[in-house]
Amino acid sequence: MVFKRLLAATGIIGGPTIDTVLARPDVRPGERVQGRIDLVGGEAEANVNRIDLELRTRAEVETDEGERLRTVDAGAFGVTGPFVLAPGERRRIPFEYPLSVQAPLSAAWGAPMPGSELGLRTHVDIGGALDETDLDPLLVHPLPPQQAVLDVLRELGFAFFKSDIERGHIKGTRPELPYYQEIEFRPGPAYADRMKELELTFVADERGVQVVIEADKRGGLLTELVDRIGGFHLPYEGGVDVRAMVQQQIDALVSRRSGLMGDLFG
């Protein structure tokens, strides 16, 4: 266990200590993250007003100077209300944090996904003074429909390149979080002469997963004209040919580009 002394930044000496422990860091969107918060009283009685958990990530945010990475907290969840922690008292508080079904993925194919790190941050209010713990990382693995799409892209020769989290939301969707994820792939031989990159975004809800695919979003000749976007919906219960849907969507995107370029230079 690694306990953190609370309120050291405010100059309070001998305050209580806290340690947040996750039962397991591996989780899927929409599941509950189980864990506990261990508290040890300090040298004096402490009036704890509340303890909250929030999902923390770093997202790209548009500023006057361009895109910048900013820390973003979302999904606040109250673990406990007011109580008094006696000097030296040990108290254990279990929790089940409800992870949004739209939580970005931070792992795929059993390995961490660089660029999309997430974790839980514990916020503590003691006597009106706020403090927080270190970040407890989460490995958010794909839901079955998401994994199916990722597997198809790999089968089609696309190679994972990077991922990032953008502040904002996809038009026409119902966002639960103030950001969304973009997963970027490099095309294999079958598509290398028709696109430079492919970006994938998932937006899940209670019915299934909306799959949004973009090609050559950044860069390229006359970007505003040749950017392509398309999407489709996958139900949780399956019963659809995911490979055919992904293939059809990609072919439609590259065909649209060929038509646009033909109009421009034909």
Side-chain angles (χ1 to χ4, degrees):
M1 293 185 181
V2 181
F3 282 86
K4 177 189 175 182
R5 179 74 64 179
L6 292 173
L7 305 178
T10 63
I12 298 177
I13 306 301
T17 57
I18 186 172
D19 183 31
T20 301
V21 181
L22 303 182
R24 57 191 300 269
D26 298 274
V27 67
R28 286 186 171 83
E31 294 183 346
R32 290 181 173 268
V33 182
Q34 297 182 335
R36 68 177 191 269
I37 296 172
D38 291 328
L39 291 160
V40 179
E43 298 177 5
E45 184 178 90
N47 294 306
V48 179
N49 292 327
R50 62 184 295 115
I51 299 177
D52 296 330
L53 289 170
E54 281 193 290
L55 186 67
R56 175 166 289 188
T57 189
R58 288 177 62 79
E60 292 186 359
V61 179
E62 289 286 349
T63 69
D64 293 338
E65 293 78 31
E67 284 192 341
R68 295 288 186 272
L69 274 176
R70 296 285 188 267
T71 298
V72 182
D73 289 334
F77 174 74
V79 176
T80 182
F83 66 91
V84 176
L85 187 68
E89 177 187 354
R90 292 182 175 270
R91 183 176 294 219
R92 175 165 292 177
I93 306 171
F95 65 81
E96 290 189 355
Y97 178 85
L99 187 66
S100 169
V101 74
Q102 295 179 5
L105 306 179
S106 57
W109 298 292
M113 183 179 290
S116 295
E117 291 78 21
L118 293 97
L120 288 182
R121 181 78 72 178
T122 308
H123 298 268
V124 186
D125 180 337
I126 299 180
L130 300 178
D131 205 344
E132 60 182 31
T133 67
D134 295 332
L135 193 68
D136 291 284
L138 291 174
L139 287 175
V140 183
H141 298 268
L143 294 164
Q146 296 169 329
Q147 186 64 60
V149 173
L150 294 172
D151 289 342
V152 167
L153 287 174
R154 176 176 278 189
E155 292 168 7
L156 292 175
F158 288 86
F160 169 77
F161 178 63
K162 67 176 182 177
S163 65
D164 56 44
I165 297 175
E166 300 271 350
R167 187 72 181 257
H169 67 277
I170 301 296
K171 185 178 180 180
T173 64
R174 294 180 296 170
E176 294 184 2
L177 298 170
Y179 45 74
Y180 63 94
Q181 181 180 32
E182 292 180 336
I183 306 172
E184 185 175 320
F185 296 83
R186 292 289 189 254
Y191 292 98
D193 61 338
R194 290 179 284 176
M195 68 171 68
K196 294 182 178 180
E197 63 185 36
L198 181 144
E199 288 189 354
L200 173 68
T201 295
F202 296 117
V203 184
D205 58 25
E206 68 279 1
R207 299 180 299 110
V209 178
Q210 183 72 19
V211 182
V212 180
I213 296 177
E214 297 179 85
D216 292 344
K217 180 179 178 181
R218 300 185 181 96
L221 180 64
L222 300 176
T223 299
E224 293 183 358
L225 291 177
V226 300
D227 280 355
R228 293 96 75 210
I229 182 169
F232 54 89
H233 186 269
L234 293 177
Y236 291 122
E237 60 270 19
V240 298
D241 189 338
V242 177
R243 182 184 178 91
M245 296 182 75
V246 173
Q247 181 86 65
Q248 180 182 12
Q249 192 66 69
I250 294 175
D251 289 344
L253 291 175
V254 296
S255 296
R256 190 185 310 169
R257 181 185 190 188
S258 298
L260 284 170
M261 297 303 287
D263 291 341
L264 286 169
F265 300 106

